[in-house]
Amino acid sequence: MSTTTAVTTLRSRHLLSIADLSAEEIVLLLDTADAMKEIAARPIKKVPTLRGRTIVNLFYEPSTRTRTSFEIAEKRLSADTLSISVATSSVVKGETLVDTALNLEAMQPDMIVMRHASSGAHHLLTRVCKSHVINAGDGMHEHPTQALLDAYTIREKTGRIGGLKVAIVGDLLHSRVLRSDVLLLGKLGAEVWACAPPTLIPPGLDALGVRVTTSVEEAVRDADVVMMLRIQLERMQGNFFPSLREYFNVFGMTRERVRLAKPGAIIMHPGPMNRGVEIASDVADGPASVILEQVTNGVAVRMAVLYLLAGGEDERA
Amino acid sequence: MKLLLKGGRVVDPARGVDGPADVLIDGDRIAEVGRDLPAGDAVVREVPRGAIVCPGLIDMHVHLREPGQEHKETVATGTAAAVAGGFTSVACMPNTDPVNDSASVTRLIIDRARAAGLARVYPIGAVSRGSKGEQLAEIAELREAGCVAVSDDGRPVASALLMRRVLEYTSMFGMPVIDHCEDPSLKGDGVAHEGPAASRLGLRGIPGIAEELMVERDITIAGITTGRVHIAHLSTAGSLRAVRAGKARGIAVTCEVTPHHFTLTDEVLEGYDTNVKMNPPLREAADVEALIGGLADGSVDVIATDHAPHHHDEKFVEFDKAPFGILGLETAVALTFDRLVHRGHLSTTRAIALLSTNPARVLNVPGGTLAPGTPADITILVPDLEVTIDPARSRSLSRNTPFGGWRLRGGVAATIVGGRVVYVNDEVAGAAALAEPPPAGIAAR
């Protein structure tokens, strides 16, 4: 499924936020991911596209899925990659983000992929680095490659994004996935609904162009896509809700609630899942679930991001 | 020695004066203000064209960081920034290290200020020992050593009982209690105003009600005491409503607003520049509008800067890890004139009342007027001066201002403290002459 697109390159040197991308650029990324996905079907899953490029994966927060996904994407494009996690780095000796970045930069990498607990940490990084910076999640702000893989998966499963009703249910307040998804799906013309208990709804969320409700039934009814967000177990201590049990009873995605969605609706989750909290196991593992396909597509989408940010050329001139 | 300042527009809100007049200084006091004063044996200095001669400006909310954080600011550098900003006096908050909760710290600050010989420095003592919010500090001793008010600024007085006690206790001295109003549980680990901008940027919010609740509480408590409460850096429309209502009920409450809170909104958070991170946080457009209304109608008593220097290394970090606060001393006049006077929100008289007369009254310190016999603390302003804010040229040890590169209209020509010209602005034509030594034959006293 390939659409003709108006643009062939990205304007921004970095991917910090979905706000950096136009709708045309998003379509370009998704179309490029189509081509990248095909590489994974080959017996030899590797192309020389980024040969000779150095990519640093700098992870200040634990991550299994996203880090592995980036590493596989980088290796499939033949980049030289290294991954740094804070537990084994100078950060534990008190080095600041700026100093770490300046030292990495002194070794002349081409790209830095970073996950950081502070919203906006990547903006700081771009003020001291010449490398391309890719946001692999910053605090409660954004997780743009997750939104791209979500959009890719939706488009792959339903054939379109414009005009779909997408219901996002879970911890909206603390979710970077929500913010990226709302921006991206909005740009592509989806009708996005966000649902949570009032304690977990960021004030002014509707200003981002999303319909906000506390009724999971209203959110899910006639939805084409139902996406769960992780409920972090420590939120209970913050009195955002009384108990995981009560959360599941009121907001958990059960088979009964899924029946309110359109026939053929897909179930998504960015992971990691809390089974029996935001989603029932039989829904997570059921026929409508595309949760593992999201993970598969994550590699292709990240290959597309790396390729296009590198300038879209094959190897360096 | 006598000095005659000729040819200025004298604005003295305390005496309802606004018009062309000369000011005669005799030693460290003002001798006379009037039209075409005879020179007699005075040294005559023409003030720059278009200048306003007004009572020295008083910033009742600054952080001088000494003792303990001299890498951010010292009494000497902070007072250099003060006089460059037109302030002849500053009142410094007690959140130093150690906290100014004892006479020895108060005296150290006063000694350093005397040695610097620039602006007058009025220390503010702690409400509680170590500003921990538990045991009252020895306020009588602090007052004896030179403190003019008490505050646990940086932290709210969290306990309602302690607030009651300190308002009762200080009432015997007539000292104001200055409160940094913020409900700690509602503030949580917030870093920016709770609203659409913070939601979009994924920044933890500090709701306006965290401030408003404590403003309401303080006013209610003040109502059953004879103490005076002063609300530091008031930032929301709701807080202003509470202050208005308190004043209408006859309660002794006053408040201050900072230049950044009447200039900027939380929309500038985009880009995560830590120089827009301060506490209270920048609020929404409706709040800014309300604050300007309060400055205009007299509900707000004082413009104070909350000058809060931080080292570049401390600010050049992730947004949520950076300390709260920005510089204020050298940008207050430009922002007040550009944003409030030239846009027609305030008269010049009202602006000077907010920057001089009223803070003198709230702190009960000399100054705030050009009445004969009062200290010759005088600021010479050029309301039409075009200024470009250049952080690199700041007299402060720190550079943390969001106003770098801003072009504003309104500046300082010279600052006179106790009859001595302690600052002249070389960029104002004719200002340098104010600091020239007296001609031979006129002996300095």
Side-chain angles (χ1 to χ4, degrees):
Chain A
M1 177 190 60
S2 191
T3 355
T4 317
T5 54
V7 293
T8 55
T9 55
L10 304 181
R11 283 164 310 165
S12 176
R13 300 196 64 243
H14 310 291
L15 181 58
L16 307 189
S17 162
I18 292 299
D20 298 338
L21 300 171
S22 66
E24 291 75 22
E25 288 173 317
I26 292 166
V27 173
L28 170 68
L29 277 158
L30 301 185
D31 291 348
T32 307
D34 270 333
M36 296 296 176
K37 192 170 182 184
E38 179 267 327
I39 293 168
R42 299 178 191 171
I44 296 178
K45 301 178 176 60
K46 200 171 179 90
V47 292
T49 310
L50 294 184
R51 197 163 64 188
R53 308 265 175 136
T54 307
I55 303 178
V56 176
N57 300 305
L58 182 57
F59 276 67
Y60 280 84
E61 272 191 335
S63 161
T64 310
R65 212 173 335 274
T66 303
R67 195 172 95 171
T68 312
S69 180
F70 266 108
E71 282 184 37
I72 291 176
E74 291 155 7
K75 288 180 196 311
R76 286 189 180 160
L77 293 172
S78 303
D80 296 317
T81 74
L82 72 151
S83 295
I84 302 169
S85 61
V86 285
T88 58
S89 77
S90 294
V91 174
V92 293
K93 300 177 188 166
E95 189 172 64
T96 64
L97 173 59
V98 167
D99 277 333
T100 301
L102 288 171
N103 279 275
L104 289 175
E105 186 76 358
M107 297 181 237
Q108 297 165 301
D110 296 283
M111 296 189 183
I112 298 176
V113 177
M114 184 168 79
R115 157 77 54 96
H116 199 287
S118 295
S119 299
H122 298 75
H123 290 72
L124 182 63
L125 201 64
T126 60
R127 287 166 67 186
V128 294
C129 285
K130 289 195 279 289
S131 312
H132 300 280
V133 173
I134 298 174
N135 183 357
D138 65 325
M140 313 188 310
H141 177 222
E142 282 213 44
H143 191 355
T145 59
Q146 178 70 42
L148 286 164
L149 77 87
D150 288 343
Y152 183 89
T153 306
I154 294 169
R155 194 177 80 163
E156 183 180 54
K157 289 291 158 188
T158 67
R160 67 196 171 102
I161 290 172
L164 297 186
K165 178 178 178 182
V166 180
I168 304 178
V169 185
D171 181 352
L172 309 176
L173 183 61
H174 301 92
S175 176
R176 53 192 170 214
V177 175
L178 171 86
R179 287 166 176 80
S180 286
D181 270 331
V182 163
L183 287 175
L184 193 158
L185 297 171
K187 278 178 195 256
L188 295 190
E191 178 190 330
V192 184
W193 286 68
C195 174
T199 47
L200 289 173
I201 297 174
L205 180 62
D206 48 356
L208 294 179
V210 55
R211 309 281 295 270
V212 181
T213 175
T214 56
S215 159
V216 68
E217 286 77 18
E218 185 184 21
V220 171
R221 185 168 293 116
D222 298 323
D224 300 278
V225 177
V226 177
M227 188 188 298
M228 301 294 113
L229 297 175
R230 171 180 165 77
I231 292 294
Q232 289 183 15
L233 305 183
E234 61 268 25
R235 297 299 172 219
M236 226 164 57
Q237 274 82 51
N239 273 323
F240 290 102
F241 50 84
S243 66
L244 297 176
R245 176 174 169 272
E246 176 146 315
Y247 182 87
F248 181 75
N249 287 341
V250 182
F251 293 95
M253 199 49 56
T254 58
R255 273 199 293 189
E256 292 68 37
R257 289 186 174 132
V258 169
R259 278 194 207 105
L260 297 170
K262 277 209 188 110
I266 58 173
I267 305 293
M268 303 178 76
H269 195 303
M273 272 189 287
N274 287 310
R275 291 169 181 267
V277 179
E278 69 265 7
I279 189 165
S281 272
D282 54 1
V283 174
D285 302 329
S289 168
V290 298
I291 294 170
L292 291 176
E293 286 164 88
Q294 289 175 267
V295 179
T296 304
N297 292 337
V299 175
V301 163
R302 289 176 178 120
M303 287 169 78
V305 168
L306 295 165
Y307 168 73
L308 287 170
L309 277 185
E313 327 110 50
D314 284 344
E315 298 187 57
R316 203 180 303 224
Chain B
M1 184 188 110
K2 289 183 182 170
L3 178 66
L4 182 63
L5 300 174
K6 281 199 86 68
R9 168 185 168 199
V10 169
V11 178
D12 183 0
R15 298 195 302 154
V17 171
D18 181 356
D22 302 338
V23 177
L24 180 65
I25 300 166
D26 185 0
D28 63 357
R29 300 270 151 181
I30 290 170
E32 202 176 348
V33 178
R35 295 197 72 156
D36 303 322
L37 294 181
D41 56 352
V43 175
V44 179
R45 295 285 181 242
E46 292 282 334
V47 303
R49 186 179 295 274
I52 289 173
V53 179
C54 66
L57 309 184
I58 300 170
D59 189 347
M60 65 174 289
H61 192 144
V62 305
H63 298 269
L64 296 179
R65 304 299 190 203
E66 190 175 2
Q69 296 184 305
E70 292 86 352
H71 65 291
K72 298 176 193 249
E73 195 79 290
T74 64
V75 173
T77 59
T79 52
V83 296
F87 292 98
T88 56
S89 300
V90 295
C92 60
M93 284 295 174
N95 60 341
T96 46
D97 184 15
V99 166
N100 184 11
D101 61 358
S102 71
S104 58
V105 177
T106 304
R107 285 196 206 102
L108 177 131
I109 294 166
I110 289 171
D111 287 349
R112 293 291 154 91
R114 192 171 294 133
L118 296 166
R120 296 179 201 272
V121 174
Y122 297 111
I124 296 168
V127 164
S128 60
R129 292 185 189 184
S131 286
K132 291 197 171 95
E134 293 158 8
Q135 177 89 40
L136 278 178
E138 292 177 333
I139 293 172
E141 184 181 283
L142 288 167
R143 177 170 178 269
E144 186 63 31
C147 286
V148 297
V150 291
S151 180
D152 277 348
D153 185 57
R155 301 178 185 187
V157 176
S159 150
L161 179 62
L162 180 63
M163 183 45 100
R164 175 182 179 176
R165 293 283 187 255
V166 73
L167 280 167
E168 288 172 340
Y169 191 76
T170 53
S171 68
M172 68 175 159
F173 309 123
M175 286 169 102
V177 176
I178 303 172
D179 200 16
H180 168 129
C181 290
E182 173 184 278
D183 180 284
S185 69
L186 286 168
K187 187 217 171 196
D189 51 5
V191 297
H193 171 66
E194 181 182 292
S199 289
R200 189 172 72 240
L201 295 165
L203 295 172
R204 288 178 199 275
I206 304 173
I209 58 160
E211 175 177 303
E212 291 156 13
L213 268 183
M214 204 161 277
V215 171
E216 298 266 15
R217 182 205 72 172
D218 285 357
I219 292 170
T220 303
I221 296 172
I224 61 150
T225 75
T226 50
R228 291 196 285 133
V229 66
H230 176 82
I231 309 299
H233 42 52
L234 180 140
S235 71
T236 77
S239 297
L240 185 62
R241 252 195 322 272
V243 167
R244 279 198 182 111
K247 287 183 170 185
R249 275 149 60 205
I251 294 169
V253 56
T254 53
C255 69
E256 70 194 26
V257 166
T258 72
H260 49 273
H261 285 113
F262 68 63
T263 303
L264 300 172
T265 68
D266 60 349
E267 287 300 318
V268 300
L269 291 166
E270 197 84 44
Y272 300 95
D273 178 0
T274 58
N275 285 332
V276 297
K277 179 177 176 181
M278 61 283 284
N279 193 17
L282 298 173
R283 304 292 186 182
E284 297 177 39
D287 295 303
V288 171
E289 201 178 310
L291 296 185
I292 291 173
L295 287 158
D297 72 12
S299 313
V300 175
D301 300 272
V302 169
I303 293 173
T305 69
D306 194 9
H307 178 81
H310 291 293
H311 194 276
H312 175 76
D313 290 346
E314 296 166 317
K315 276 289 201 180
F316 202 41
V317 295
E318 298 88 324
F319 194 89
D320 53 0
K321 292 186 178 146
F324 292 101
I326 61 165
L327 301 182
L329 284 166
E330 291 165 276
T331 46
V333 164
L335 290 167
T336 300
F337 275 84
D338 192 279
R339 296 293 152 142
L340 301 179
V341 177
H342 297 320
R343 293 188 181 186
H345 300 301
L346 300 189
S347 67
T348 301
T349 297
R350 173 100 196 112
I352 291 165
L354 286 159
L355 286 162
S356 174
T357 312
N358 295 356
R361 197 192 67 222
V362 171
L363 293 176
N364 194 22
V365 297
T369 177
L370 296 174
T374 60
D377 290 2
I378 297 170
T379 303
I380 302 178
L381 302 171
V382 184
D384 286 324
L385 186 70
E386 302 278 348
V387 298
T388 302
I389 308 297
D390 180 3
R393 295 189 55 199
S394 170
R395 268 76 172 172
S396 169
L397 267 189
S398 293
R399 297 287 177 263
N400 51 310
T401 172
F403 298 114
W406 280 44
R407 297 165 64 89
L408 299 166
R409 198 152 60 93
V412 178
T415 307
I416 298 170
V417 176
R420 287 192 311 124
V421 179
V422 292
Y423 170 77
V424 290
N425 183 351
D426 299 334
E427 292 182 7
V428 176
L434 290 164
E436 279 172 10
I442 298 190
R445 255 211 298 237

